[in-house]
Amino acid sequence: MTALTLSSSGAATLRADVLVVGVAKGPDGPVPAPGSEAVAEAFDGGLATVLETLGATGAEGETTKLPVSGLKAPLVLAVGLGTAPEDGEEYGTEALRRAAGNAARALNGTGKAGFALPLASAEAVAAVAEGALLGAYAFTAYKSDDAEAGKGAKKKGAGKGPLGEVALLGVKARDKAAKAAAERATALAEEMNRARDLVNTPPNDLYPESFAAVAAAAGKEHGVKVQVIDDKALLKGGFGGLIGVGQGAAHGPRLVKLAYNHPKAEKSLAYVGKGITYDSGGISLKPAGHNETMKCDMAGAAAVFAAVITAARLGLKVNVTGWLALAENMPSGTATRPGDVLRMYGGKTVEVLNTDAEGRLVLADAITKASEDEPDAIVDVATLTGAMVVALGNRTFGVMGNDDAFRTAVHELAEEAGEPAWPMPFPEELRKGLDSSVADMANVGGRMGGGMAAGVFLNEFVGEGITWAHLDIAGPAFNEAGPFGYTPKGATGSAIRTLVSLAEWTASGELG
Ligand code: BES
Ligand code: MN
Ligand code: ZN
């Protein structure tokens, strides 16, 4: 992955391939942002005019390359920061994160870039570091070298690989807060990018067993205890949801437990992730046009995996247990039929009326299992419903739960971390919609409020008295449109920053 360094040298003395400066949208044209002083000097104070001549406005998403002489770098990249903050105010962290991401994306194939952006605080350092490392991400594992080498590329693969090194300029070497911020950003971005790789990996290579193997190896590396419950053990243990969803596929289901424990932890969190490595819909088969991206249906499990490993790497003073509910949802002669009744882990029975509502079935087993440890809170993360995408769009996830204060806390932590989220209610009539004439419950109700009905279903499996939140990331988990800011096309790493922030918040004693 892209390397991150802190450099106390300024833009005038750094040897690099390119210098990144910020440019804001001023009332009368583009305004070079703080951090750009040395570069502006090389233009004899005419940087704003040159930028304006090149058509730059300072708008978010804009990148402008210009040659420079008199510095140790031959090229400048000016990246738009959007409207400049009021006098005396600092740039917002999300504006910095996005600008750094846009810059990193524009510099694919470059060796070393010095980032001379506004880095006035440790928060700003964290944001720029995160944005740059996340923006530099590229998924190239399935591109052969020849295909990677674009027209005119100097050597095989050139021009496509991620930016090699990001040096944040003007950060004092003795600044402990900045150093910690950079270390946190590096761990977080590395785990987010690994989660993106997992989600982008095609489902012929990523299935429950191979996902579990990746988790086991990472756990070993970072001191996280990993336990894999295989299909035989799931059947014996009565995990009817995981077995029922997975029984149509050639690859059997797995339930993976990742346990990170801190010796002085006072609180415990359980994170539960939906890990459908491919969702064909099962016998209730999805039509063409709806299944091409369904390798992304394990993004919740990837997020949980990344969050637990990040918590371990940061040594947070909290116990975090991750549960990955892994299965492949396929139609076959052995698949669950619409009309079948499953006996879930814990004994509740569910009539499966639609095999495409499979996520809630695997999550139900995992939430029941997670409840046995009596954690202080459970958070599940799932690409659960198309209805949530219809409600909130492609970039915002829904937050639901059984405790308004906790749901609000999770929502606020998400927004602070740069992840758009929105609270959704559990209207009381939705529970009745899930009544079944033969079993304790059906897995689907009416069409209306489908995203919330899925949450109401999960609520039935949360252990008595346990605080719980549910994140439906079906919209933001996978970006089918073009890249923007630090978000690439394809897997995004949705909810990971929220889960890590929640672990930090809990470690600092905020969870009641
Ligand atoms: N994995 C899908 C939800 C989904 C949709 C994720 C779009 C990402 C993008 C889920 O398993 C599903 O199929 N849900 C059904 C539920 C319905 C049958 C009640 C849906 O949303 O249509
Ligand atoms: Mn489905
Ligand atoms: Zn699904």
Side-chain angles (χ1 to χ4, degrees):
M1 206 184 80
T2 309
L4 180 80
T5 54
L6 296 182
S7 174
S8 48
S9 58
T13 52
L14 183 84
R15 251 177 226 294
D17 297 299
V18 58
L19 292 167
V20 176
V21 298
V23 50
K25 210 173 159 170
D28 311 307
V31 183
S36 67
E37 294 81 6
V39 171
E41 227 167 89
F43 284 87
D44 281 335
L47 180 60
T49 312
V50 173
L51 284 170
E52 194 164 17
T53 307
L54 289 168
T57 65
E60 186 192 323
E62 195 178 80
T63 54
T64 310
K65 279 182 182 166
L66 51 159
V68 64
S69 52
L71 300 175
K72 296 263 168 22
L75 189 67
V76 169
L77 178 85
V79 63
L81 284 162
T83 309
E86 305 274 310
D87 270 351
E89 301 274 317
E90 277 190 37
Y91 279 90
T93 50
E94 182 61 6
L96 292 173
R97 206 181 276 116
R98 288 189 191 186
N102 282 319
R105 276 197 300 109
L107 294 172
N108 272 356
T110 305
K112 179 173 180 175
F115 277 60
L117 289 172
L119 294 170
S121 62
E123 288 74 37
V125 169
V128 171
E130 274 177 32
L133 296 177
L134 294 171
Y137 174 82
F139 183 65
T140 53
Y142 289 81
K143 295 272 195 194
S144 50
D145 284 350
D146 288 346
E148 225 178 277
K151 254 196 201 151
K154 286 194 200 92
K155 54 177 191 254
K156 264 191 173 184
K160 275 284 176 95
L163 173 59
E165 185 184 339
V166 171
L168 303 189
L169 303 189
V171 183
K172 287 197 194 76
R174 280 177 292 110
D175 187 337
K176 278 199 186 129
K179 227 177 133 196
E183 277 168 16
R184 179 190 184 277
T186 302
L188 178 64
E190 281 178 2
E191 295 310 323
M192 257 180 91
N193 286 341
R194 171 165 42 198
R196 288 168 167 182
D197 277 349
L198 286 168
V199 176
N200 283 327
T201 298
N204 54 333
D205 282 342
L206 194 92
Y207 41 88
E209 187 184 10
S210 58
F211 192 160
V214 172
K220 209 166 176 187
E221 189 184 339
H222 296 291
V224 170
K225 240 172 78 187
V226 179
Q227 186 193 348
V228 179
I229 308 177
D230 69 11
D231 38 5
K232 267 195 202 131
L234 289 171
L235 189 62
K236 213 166 151 218
F239 292 85
L242 277 152
I243 291 293
V245 171
Q247 71 189 30
H251 300 294
R254 297 286 185 277
L255 179 61
V256 179
K257 178 182 187 180
L258 297 139
Y260 163 65
N261 290 303
H262 189 284
K264 289 186 186 149
E266 281 162 16
K267 296 281 180 187
S268 59
L269 293 169
Y271 291 163
V272 181
K274 171 179 173 180
I276 301 299
T277 55
Y278 185 69
D279 182 13
S280 71
I283 297 295
S284 312
L285 192 64
K286 287 180 186 294
H290 291 264
N291 48 24
E292 293 83 352
T293 58
M294 278 303 141
K295 66 176 182 182
C296 81
D297 215 17
M298 36 58 73
V304 165
F305 166 53
V308 176
I309 300 293
T310 305
R313 287 180 65 169
L314 299 177
L316 301 183
K317 203 181 130 210
V318 56
N319 293 335
V320 187
T321 304
W323 296 90
L324 317 181
L326 308 177
E328 188 179 318
N329 188 23
M330 293 291 276
S332 78
T334 61
T336 290
R337 315 154 190 81
D340 280 356
V341 173
L342 304 177
R343 187 172 293 278
M344 314 295 282
Y345 184 74
K348 285 198 176 79
T349 58
V350 174
E351 184 184 12
V352 178
L353 292 177
N354 189 324
T355 62
D356 198 11
E358 83 297 337
R360 62 198 74 183
L361 299 173
V362 300
L363 287 170
D365 275 1
I367 289 172
T368 305
K369 183 72 181 165
S371 297
E372 285 177 358
D373 297 341
E374 296 182 353
D376 294 300
I378 296 178
V379 179
D380 79 77
V381 188
T383 48
L384 205 57
T385 66
M388 197 57 64
V389 191
V390 172
L392 297 178
N394 285 318
R395 297 192 185 181
T396 304
F397 61 74
V399 190
M400 288 147 272
N402 62 3
D403 178 316
D404 288 357
F406 185 62
R407 189 200 57 218
T408 301
V410 171
H411 176 210
E412 285 173 1
L413 288 164
E415 299 277 0
E416 279 165 32
E419 299 203 279
W422 202 252
M424 300 295 275
F426 286 158
E428 62 174 344
E429 75 278 10
L430 290 181
R431 175 60 190 85
K432 240 191 137 21
L434 294 170
D435 282 348
S436 161
S437 48
V438 294
D440 297 338
M441 260 201 293
N443 75 327
V444 290
R447 205 166 69 84
M448 296 303 158
M452 301 175 291
V456 168
F457 180 91
L458 296 178
N459 189 19
E460 296 288 320
F461 296 88
V462 177
E464 191 71 36
I466 300 178
T467 302
W468 161 73
H470 161 56
L471 313 183
D472 190 338
I473 61 169
F478 199 80
N479 176 27
E480 291 184 52
F484 58 93
Y486 51 87
T487 304
K489 192 173 161 66
T492 61
S494 178
I496 297 169
R497 283 176 289 154
T498 300
L499 294 180
V500 171
S501 290
L502 177 63
E504 289 170 331
W505 181 82
T506 306
S508 69
E510 297 285 339
L511 179 63

